[in-house]
Amino acid sequence: MAEFMFATGIECSYPTIDGGRWRRDQLYETDHYHYWLRDLELVKEIGLKYLRYGFPIHLVYHGRNKFDWSFTDAVCDAMQRLGIVPIIDLVHFGLPDWLENFQNTELAECLGVYAAAFAERYSWIRFYTPVNEMYVTARMSALEGAWNEQMRSERAFVTATRNVARANVLMMQAILEIRPDAIFVNSESSEFYQACCADEEVQRIADFENQRRFIAMDLLYAKPVRNDIRAYLMENGMPPEEYEWFMTQNSRDRSILGVDYYEWNEKVINSDGRPEILGELFGWYVITQQYYQRYGRPVMHTETNTPDAEEAPNWLLRQWHNVELIRRDGIPVVGFTWYSLQDQVDWNIGLTKALGNVFPVGLFDLNREPRVVAQAYKHLIKMFGADVKLTETEIEALTMSV
């Protein structure tokens, strides 16, 4: 029987910085490699069954058809034993050294091989996020110069976007060959840009950025882009035949639209044309409607937290009430996620420097002691878990037949 998916996640980002000389492996920096079994036990202790989890592809995928499954075998065995249902992130902001970065034209095919090998070995796993937050991956790596290739150009951004979208398509197809009833939770950052004023150029920039945020998902779900955005793609290196290839794929039917939301997702374009964090102005409820109206897929709230540990229980409830309201308005939402299980390291600066600052956003701190939000989430699950009744549309999303 389908059930509402209350979940958490274990932060697993692993982009490279400093010209590729330093890898930010959050599983290492949060000591998950040492505490991994305890972390899985904490998932159950808080009353959860669903877990967003990404294995470190840079330690697993060593080359074409070269894999080290030792860590993945141990963790997957424990997940099965504990009754945890994983939603597997196959790529989370980084790549193995041999694949270099998101400008690599062979990326999609190589990741398709990885997805097939993973699905073959762990055939009991049904839920996947092939490439996490494609928009953020491409923007941070190729437009803002922070991670991986550390480039800053429109052409590099379009190349990275094309590559991650194509990789997502091929990975989904490869998994479905092995697990035809697989379900994909395509997690994306919910972004919104507000113009600060009536200035024509500021309004133009905000409008463009509000289209840019959709490009990767448009390609994945074969949603035709606006004419000016299509021209932008072609001007920055996308061949017309590649765009047409995306428009002929069918990658949406077995997909849940994951919509991540943080207070920094909403931005204002200032009078100088630059974006600045706006804070929670419209919120997950409003922005998610924009994504749902565009793609028409069942939704999951796949990430949220706040850096103020004392405020976290209130933020949790606000996000949950957003979910309740949007479901009452008829938009199918099948799950909710507090991200992440543990505190994170240096996410307050987007992992751009290795300073070692603890970002207190977890249900548990790095000593695996519960934060106040852990008890709040446990109480929320007990209070609402039995009463959340899925609609027929939501049930269909979680029980899709082949």
Side-chain angles (χ1 to χ4, degrees):
M1 182 66 180
E3 61 186 341
F4 191 86
M5 300 164 66
F6 285 103
T8 187
I10 292 179
E11 165 56 18
C12 60
S13 301
Y14 38 76
T16 59
I17 61 171
D18 193 23
R21 290 184 288 273
W22 190 290
R23 185 179 292 278
R24 302 305 311 272
D25 184 343
Q26 287 283 285
L27 295 181
Y28 171 78
E29 293 177 48
T30 60
D31 217 9
H32 177 70
Y33 292 130
H34 178 73
Y35 287 112
W36 66 265
L37 182 56
R38 180 61 185 145
D39 288 342
L40 296 183
E41 292 171 344
L42 291 175
V43 173
K44 298 299 293 183
E45 288 178 14
I46 208 167
L48 296 167
K49 182 167 73 173
Y50 294 92
L51 176 68
R52 291 197 63 204
Y53 191 93
F55 289 102
I57 190 173
H58 57 290
L59 300 180
V60 176
Y61 196 12
H62 291 275
R64 296 180 185 274
N65 298 307
K66 296 179 181 178
F67 308 97
D68 180 351
W69 302 112
S70 53
F71 180 66
T72 52
D73 282 349
V75 174
C76 284
D77 286 348
M79 285 181 177
Q80 282 191 291
R81 186 171 66 253
L82 291 168
I84 289 173
V85 178
I87 303 168
I88 296 294
D89 278 11
L90 290 173
V91 177
H92 202 115
F93 295 150
L95 295 168
D97 290 341
W98 68 276
L99 280 176
E100 298 179 342
N101 56 55
F102 293 101
Q103 301 298 303
N104 187 346
T105 57
E106 298 181 350
L107 177 66
E109 285 70 23
C110 291
L111 291 179
V113 171
Y114 177 62
F118 191 98
E120 183 74 40
R121 191 170 186 88
Y122 308 108
S123 58
W124 60 276
I125 294 177
R126 189 183 186 197
F127 294 94
Y128 288 92
T129 299
V131 180
N132 174 69
E133 289 190 350
M134 294 183 290
Y135 167 80
V136 176
T137 299
R139 187 173 189 112
M140 293 291 285
S141 300
L143 192 63
E144 298 189 3
W147 301 338
N148 304 307
E149 55 263 45
Q150 293 187 246
M151 299 178 73
R152 297 175 182 268
S153 75
E154 298 291 350
R155 191 175 189 89
F157 172 80
V158 169
T159 298
T161 300
R162 292 162 50 200
N163 286 339
V164 295
R166 182 178 177 85
N168 218 325
V169 172
L170 296 187
M171 294 166 84
M172 291 166 72
Q173 291 174 350
I175 291 168
L176 287 171
E177 285 290 321
I178 295 159
R179 180 84 199 238
D181 66 341
I183 293 177
F184 302 99
V185 181
N186 298 124
S187 176
E188 188 59 282
S189 175
S190 63
E191 303 282 330
F192 183 73
Y193 294 83
Q194 176 70 38
C196 71
C197 53
D199 180 87
E200 188 173 313
E201 178 61 11
V202 171
Q203 298 256 351
R204 184 199 67 78
I205 293 170
D207 174 69
F208 175 75
E209 293 298 345
N210 279 326
Q211 291 298 313
R212 187 204 294 273
R213 61 180 169 151
F214 291 130
I215 293 173
M217 198 66 76
D218 285 347
L219 296 176
L220 176 63
Y221 284 165
K223 169 73 174 177
V225 301
R226 208 168 65 183
N227 288 341
D228 61 320
I229 301 303
R230 184 171 181 178
Y232 162 78
L233 293 173
M234 304 309 159
E235 290 166 4
N236 286 285
M238 172 176 267
E241 58 272 20
E242 183 179 20
Y243 176 81
E244 294 302 328
W245 178 85
F246 277 112
M247 293 301 108
T248 62
Q249 303 307 302
N250 181 21
S251 300
R252 66 189 297 277
D253 289 350
R254 302 201 61 81
S255 297
I256 293 168
L257 177 61
V259 183
D260 304 345
Y261 182 78
Y262 301 97
E263 62 181 8
W264 50 84
N265 288 152
E266 299 188 55
K267 300 176 181 69
V268 62
I269 303 298
N270 281 340
S271 57
D272 61 3
R274 292 184 296 180
E276 289 191 8
I277 293 172
L278 185 59
E280 187 185 18
L281 177 62
F282 297 113
W284 189 84
Y285 171 85
V286 171
I287 297 175
T288 295
Q289 289 188 76
Q290 297 174 356
Y291 282 79
Y292 177 75
Q293 289 165 8
R294 193 174 186 93
Y295 302 118
R297 300 306 304 155
V299 172
M300 181 172 180
H301 195 328
T302 33
E303 287 186 23
T304 196
N305 66 45
T306 180
D308 185 339
E310 293 184 1
E311 172 64 17
N314 291 330
W315 180 267
L316 169 70
L317 286 174
R318 290 211 301 276
Q319 294 304 305
W320 173 246
H321 292 324
N322 273 255
V323 170
E324 288 186 299
L325 181 61
I326 208 169
R327 293 183 77 240
R328 286 200 296 269
D329 287 348
I331 293 179
V333 180
V334 300
F336 175 82
T337 313
W338 182 271
Y339 197 89
S340 51
L341 182 74
Q342 318 100 331
D343 289 347
Q344 301 165 9
V345 177
D346 286 337
W347 258 113
N348 59 313
I349 53 171
L351 304 184
T352 55
K353 296 180 180 178
L355 301 181
N357 292 326
V358 175
F359 200 40
V361 298
L363 297 171
F364 296 85
D365 65 23
L366 296 185
N367 291 321
R368 276 53 185 180
E369 294 295 328
R371 293 197 175 275
V372 178
V373 70
Q375 185 60 37
Y377 196 19
K378 189 172 184 177
H379 179 67
L380 185 150
I381 295 164
K382 286 183 178 179
M383 184 164 51
F384 292 102
D387 294 331
V388 180
K389 306 298 182 185
L390 297 186
T391 66
E392 290 185 8
T393 301
E394 292 166 341
I395 292 172
E396 182 182 1
L398 293 177
T399 58
M400 296 171 180
S401 59
V402 178

